[in-house]
């Protein structure tokens, strides 16, 4: 904190154009120190399917925010509570809401290259992969390319830790945000935020704001400041096919008792062509990339070559002509598939069942019910009887082709007009601060449970992504680039100190 | 043992026709008592992928057989040893070899309805499923329908325990087998007996016999005595398809980065038609069900309705016109399939890989190499590049459709002529003993590593199955019907005491 005194004096002198330098040095210094607190936060396991874990996170977050002067309200829902934290500056000032989620995806410890996915580890990329460093390495120079590896480091505890640090810096300067601040903290986003849509209806007044900023998801691959005007929504589907009531010896019953895995592959393989385009009628209905839209999409620096190189793929699906265009369409994705056992556990059986987990990413033009109905009609057209439950003995004996299909529309997509005044306000801030116009993303591929705010409350919503694209979110070895962490703190500072 | 004295007197008086009654009562009494020893044996975990577990089984078996006067020889192989146990009666007598395997399939404890798959539990079927009884229940009446649940109870420790008990009974009567006895005890059959084919070549003299009887696999569903003149062989295949190098967020990359599960389903779905018939050219080449064969197959009491009712299926695959005919053809079975995660562990990702485990059951007419080549050609015809290794970065970036295929021909099929004199000898024994002709099975669907004996050593081989068909072998909740255990002891006694 040795620079605090003179930076504070400078700050008093500064106006918008000069403030960025000051913030930058301040943010680095305090930001690096704040990684210790971030590590403590990451150490709290946060699988939203485990209520106990979430309670620990709620307590920790609550304490941090109370220290910052926030008023905390826990909105009870049918599932986990939604936390609202208000920092009222002046009644007549506008209120800007910031959305973040603090739960994380489940972890498969065996797949992580570290002992514990919740014990953050610092690593550096080398020619032969990521190499572990000591935590002390953060005290050295050139640490921007280092990464902090832990579940939720990027998705989405990182942005919350950045905000806390930005607030620390403001506080140390005895400065307050330029508008009233409302944090909407979701503790079950990775479970599709089941409590959120009802909360928007029943707690309207607690949630109203003039603008909603979403701090979730990755920055553009160009590492330029990025604004996101829409997100795809999400629905999930589970399909199960049935063979023998219990797994049977594949010698005695192979090519006699029908194999459920084969039936499942018939269904799944028929849904998309070899280029990944959905073959179900009307799946892409209503989507039109007009000239104005094309212009917005084309203004985004091309990320195709970079994604292909990073994911090591030779070709991409051909839903759109490039990445930005592909993401304007709904997707139909096999996210998991299982029947019997594989690898060392493989058994020579005809399995009893085969299951596929799928997700549909929705766009604004999608009618989620219609897309699900289309999937169902398609499966029925293959001769399968559809059930919403595990078949009874009678159902099994009277139907040769049975599928159990359960589905859930988690939340629809949202899109704020890229030309809206709120976007222009943010664009100006980022342009002034970084000296370059932000990348304008019309629709981001990922989903955030924001559509009820836009559709029910009429609050425009814009995403301000801060984390690196290659963060392995939802997968083993999730990480956050230190440079992104520090830059994120600066982004918060720039926004919080600008009048809306 | 209270009947021992008078049964023994009776035995001295008896000749073949009457001996069965005596044996029957003796076998029941001693058989029920011997279940305690069987339980001890089952308690030895026997996953052949775990060498330590197998060593414990080898020690236990060795001790039991030495007590019975056998001479033990462990033939070292490149994997686990093969145990040969000889009981020489008289040099000039013929030698009959008995094959059994004493390893078991891997267990998935979470899927068993008992605490420990190796701690045997007695259960009784009720209207609402199997109900656990105390071990003491075996002292009651009408216990034939009770089952003993444990891994390997049927496959294949049960037949060994029956043999030990039959030998106990003979010993208690001071009687010896009517021929020299050679036990061939395999401890890695569930791993496809990798050491066995080489042993047949390098230890020819230790393995030669006049007849080989296989005590493995289930009896005919009619519960009639059964003889099996052939078994399908087995080859296994593992297919892996590739998506992004690490799993990617399905929102950001869904319908852009190709999904490996979709690719896998395209491959698998194209291999068979909706009726389970393999579509790969020449897969069924050379198989002809001529009139004589048809007659043998038709003499088997129909099991179709029974299998369908038990496995709760409405239709069967249509490879043959019925079960017996279907089993005369090679099968191509998906025994396991996995990509990403399902159920509570499901993650919204585009998975990195998708894997299918397959098995091909071979018949005598099959050329295993040709069948595997057919599968490979078929996959290539879909536009995939085939590899035998995980692709390098360069391979990934230069091929849009990649499959890693590894395969192993474990062992071919065998078939002994159903009209051979060895079969007539056995048929006569079983007919006299049970008062009914045994069911003659031309080919059993399951695989036993016996073909090298038949093809290399010229030893005719016939299977004498003793366990119940609905034993869940290879699956959770494997079990053996007590009635089958007791009947198996009698079958051994009948065979062992009849001159060859």
């Amino acid at each position: 904190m040795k620079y605090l005194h003179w930076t504070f004096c400078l700050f008093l002198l500064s106006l918008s154009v000069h403030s960025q330098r000051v913030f930058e040095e301040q943010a680095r210094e305090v930001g690096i120190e704040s990684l210790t607190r971030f590590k403590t936060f990451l150490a709290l396991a946060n699988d939203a399917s485990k209520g106990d874990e979430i309670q620990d996170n709620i307590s920790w977050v609550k304490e941090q925010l109370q220290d910052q002067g926030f008023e905390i309200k826990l909105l009870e829902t049918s599932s986990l509570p939604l936390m609202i934290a208000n920092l009222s500056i002046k009644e007549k000032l506008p209120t800007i809401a910031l959305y973040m989620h603090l739960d994380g995806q489940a972890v498969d410890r065996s797949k992580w290259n570290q002992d514990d996915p919740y014990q953050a580890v610092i690593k550096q990329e080398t020619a032969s992969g990521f190499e572990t460093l000591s935590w002390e390495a953060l005290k050295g120079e050139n640490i921007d390319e280092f990464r902090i590896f832990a579940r939720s480091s990027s998705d989405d505890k990182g942005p919350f830790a950045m905000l806390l640090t930005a607030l620390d810096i403001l506080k140390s300067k005895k400065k307050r945000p330029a508008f009233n601040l409302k944090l909407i903290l979701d503790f079950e986003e990775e479970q599709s935020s089941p409590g959120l849509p009802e909360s928007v209806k029943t707690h309207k007044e607690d949630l109203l704001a003039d603008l909603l900023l979403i701090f979730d998801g990755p920055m553009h691959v160009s590492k330029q400041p990025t604004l996101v005007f829409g997100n795809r929504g999400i629905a999930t589907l589970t399909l199960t096919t049935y063979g023998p009531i219990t797994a049977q010896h594949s010698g005695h019953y192979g090519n006699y008792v029908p194999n459920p895995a084969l039936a499942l592959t018939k269904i799944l393989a028929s849904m998309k062509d070899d280029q990944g385009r959905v073959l179900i009628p009307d799946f892409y209905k209503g989507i039109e990339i007009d000239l104005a839209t094309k212009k917005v999409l084309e203004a985004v620096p091309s990320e195709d070559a970079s994604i292909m190189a990073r994911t090591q793929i030779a070709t991409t699906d051909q839903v759109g002509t490039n990445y930005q265009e592909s993401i304007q369409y709904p997707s139909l994705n096999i996210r998991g598939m299982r029947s019997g056992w594989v690898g060392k556990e493989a058994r020579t059986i005809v399995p009893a069942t085969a299951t596929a987990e799928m997700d549909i990413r929705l766009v604004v033009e999608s009618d989620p019910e219609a897309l699900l109905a289309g999937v169902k009609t398609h499966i029925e057209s293959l001769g399968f009887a559809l059930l919403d439950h595990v078949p009874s003995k009678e159902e099994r004996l009277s139907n040769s082709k049975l599928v159990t299909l359960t589905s859930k529309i988690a939340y629809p997509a949202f899109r704020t007009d890229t030309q809206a005044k709120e976007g222009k306000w943010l664009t100006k801030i980022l342009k002034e601060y970084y000296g370059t116009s932000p990348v304008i993303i019309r629709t981001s591929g990922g989903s955030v449970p924001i559509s009820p705010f836009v559709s029910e409350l009429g609050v425009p919503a814009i995403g301000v992504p801060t984390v690196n694209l290659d963060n392995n979110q939802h997968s083993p070895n999730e990480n956050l680039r230190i440079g992104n962490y520090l830059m994120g703190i600066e982004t918060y500072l720039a926004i919080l100190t600008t009048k809306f």
Side-chain angles (χ1 to χ4, degrees), chain A:
Chain A
M1 297 257 208
K2 58 184 174 178
Y3 298 109
L4 188 64
H5 179 67
W6 68 263
T7 54
F8 185 56
C9 299
L10 260 179
F11 184 78
L12 291 177
L13 294 168
S14 72
L15 284 171
S16 65
V17 183
H18 298 105
S19 69
Q20 70 218 52
R21 286 295 96 205
V22 180
F23 276 139
E24 205 170 299
E25 293 198 31
Q26 177 86 23
R28 267 198 92 75
E29 176 88 2
V30 183
I32 294 167
E33 279 174 20
S34 74
L35 287 166
T36 309
R37 174 177 58 197
F38 185 27
K39 190 183 181 191
T40 306
F41 188 26
L42 291 170
L44 301 174
N46 65 343
D47 183 341
S49 68
K50 295 170 184 163
D52 287 0
E53 292 186 4
I54 294 302
Q55 285 310 327
D56 292 346
N57 282 272
I58 288 178
S59 304
W60 191 89
V61 166
K62 198 173 163 182
E63 201 177 307
Q64 302 297 318
L65 291 175
Q66 281 171 337
D67 283 356
Q68 297 278 3
F70 281 81
E71 246 178 74
I72 310 293
K73 204 164 182 176
L74 282 172
L75 306 184
E76 294 303 326
T77 75
S78 58
S79 45
L80 294 170
L82 184 70
M83 188 186 287
I84 307 299
N86 286 301
L87 188 66
S88 298
I89 307 300
K90 253 184 212 160
E91 210 182 323
K92 61 168 191 178
L93 284 176
T95 297
I96 295 185
L98 310 184
Y99 170 89
M100 272 156 265
H101 70 90
L102 300 174
D103 62 317
Q105 284 273 324
V107 295
D108 181 349
R109 287 167 188 267
S110 67
K111 299 276 197 302
W112 284 68
N113 301 329
Q114 67 197 63
D115 289 345
D116 184 340
Y118 297 113
Q119 291 299 329
V121 170
I122 302 294
K123 296 191 186 188
Q124 179 176 26
E125 196 163 17
T126 68
S128 58
F130 279 99
E131 190 180 80
T132 302
L133 303 174
S134 78
W135 196 265
E136 296 300 299
L138 294 173
K139 290 182 178 161
E141 300 283 309
N142 302 321
I143 65 167
D144 280 27
E145 294 301 331
F146 291 2
R147 311 259 182 130
I148 181 162
F149 279 78
R151 171 56 85 223
S152 295
S153 52
S154 265
D155 182 26
D156 183 34
K157 283 184 169 178
F160 181 75
M162 296 168 200
L163 170 64
L164 279 186
T165 308
L167 292 168
D168 282 345
I169 293 171
L170 285 187
K171 210 174 170 185
S172 74
K173 296 174 192 301
K174 300 202 172 15
K175 195 155 166 56
R176 310 203 77 196
F179 39 80
N180 294 316
L181 204 51
K182 179 189 292 294
L183 309 187
I184 300 172
L185 301 175
D186 189 348
F187 288 87
E188 50 180 4
E189 194 260 359
E190 302 296 5
Q191 303 286 320
S192 303
S193 307
L196 203 134
E198 63 177 80
S199 297
V200 172
K201 283 180 185 154
T202 53
H203 300 285
K204 214 165 179 159
E205 280 179 26
D206 284 314
L207 296 169
L208 265 173
D210 297 287
L211 171 61
L212 175 62
L213 300 183
I214 306 149
F215 283 85
D216 190 17
M219 290 179 75
H220 188 259
V221 65
S222 59
K223 297 177 191 171
Q224 290 179 50
T226 309
L227 292 175
V228 177
F229 287 77
N231 275 82
R232 294 202 285 193
I234 180 166
T236 55
L237 278 146
T238 306
L239 299 181
T240 301
T241 51
Y242 300 91
I245 185 74
T246 53
Q248 298 293 316
H249 189 290
S250 68
H252 296 303
Y253 303 104
N255 69 1
Y256 185 71
V257 170
N259 186 307
L262 179 69
L264 187 69
T265 65
K266 296 264 177 192
I267 294 171
L268 297 173
S270 68
M271 288 182 173
K272 293 173 94 169
D273 69 14
D274 282 354
Q275 280 72 46
R277 285 176 290 242
V278 176
L279 296 169
I280 297 168
D282 293 337
F283 198 84
Y284 298 132
K285 192 178 168 181
I287 297 145
E288 210 186 307
I289 310 290
D290 60 20
L291 276 180
T293 304
K294 228 175 167 71
K295 214 173 141 188
V296 173
L297 301 179
E298 281 170 358
V300 179
S302 169
E303 51 268 277
D304 298 81
S306 149
I307 297 174
M308 290 172 72
R310 181 173 61 76
T311 60
Q312 296 183 20
I313 54 174
T315 49
T316 68
D317 284 352
Q318 296 298 315
V319 178
T321 54
N322 57 33
Y323 176 69
Q324 281 303 322
E325 209 178 299
S326 296
I327 297 303
Q328 309 306 314
Y329 291 87
S331 70
L332 179 60
N333 174 59
I334 305 168
R335 59 191 179 128
M337 194 163 71
R338 176 144 193 181
S339 185
W341 291 266
V342 301
K344 280 194 175 174
E345 291 181 316
R347 263 145 257 207
T348 44
I349 52 166
V350 177
T353 61
T355 295
E357 301 283 1
M358 306 190 78
D359 62 324
I360 296 180
R361 298 287 172 161
L362 304 158
V363 296
V364 169
E365 292 81 358
S366 304
D367 172 356
E369 296 285 4
L371 293 196
L372 287 173
V375 171
K376 289 178 185 175
T377 306
H378 173 76
I379 295 174
E380 285 172 335
S381 77
L382 301 174
F384 286 87
L386 275 181
L387 300 175
D388 61 1
H389 56 272
V390 174
S392 66
K393 186 174 173 180
E394 289 64 39
E395 285 168 327
R396 293 177 57 95
L397 291 174
S398 55
N399 291 281
S400 56
K401 294 170 92 177
L402 280 173
V403 181
T404 298
L405 186 154
T406 54
S407 63
K408 206 179 104 186
I409 299 166
Y411 36 82
F414 84 91
R415 202 162 62 220
T416 296
D417 185 353
T418 52
Q419 305 305 317
K421 70 174 194 307
E422 293 81 4
K424 294 195 190 300
W425 175 73
L426 277 169
T427 300
K428 190 159 173 276
I429 296 171
L430 296 184
K431 192 171 174 182
E432 275 181 7
Y433 198 70
Y434 291 101
T436 173
S437 284
V439 177
I440 301 296
I441 302 293
R442 182 183 185 245
T443 305
S444 168
S447 304
V448 286
I450 291 308
S451 64
F453 290 90
V454 182
S455 58
E456 295 272 334
L457 306 182
V459 181
I462 300 172
V464 188
T466 55
V467 306
N468 44 301
L469 188 73
D470 60 345
N471 68 56
N472 292 337
Q473 73 185 96
H474 292 207
S475 292
N477 302 312
E478 180 178 346
N479 65 81
L480 171 60
R481 191 176 153 272
I482 299 294
N484 283 70
Y485 180 81
L486 299 174
M487 196 166 160
I489 296 169
E490 294 171 31
T491 304
Y492 271 116
L493 285 169
I495 294 171
L496 291 174
T497 55
T498 306
K499 259 193 181 163
F500 179 60

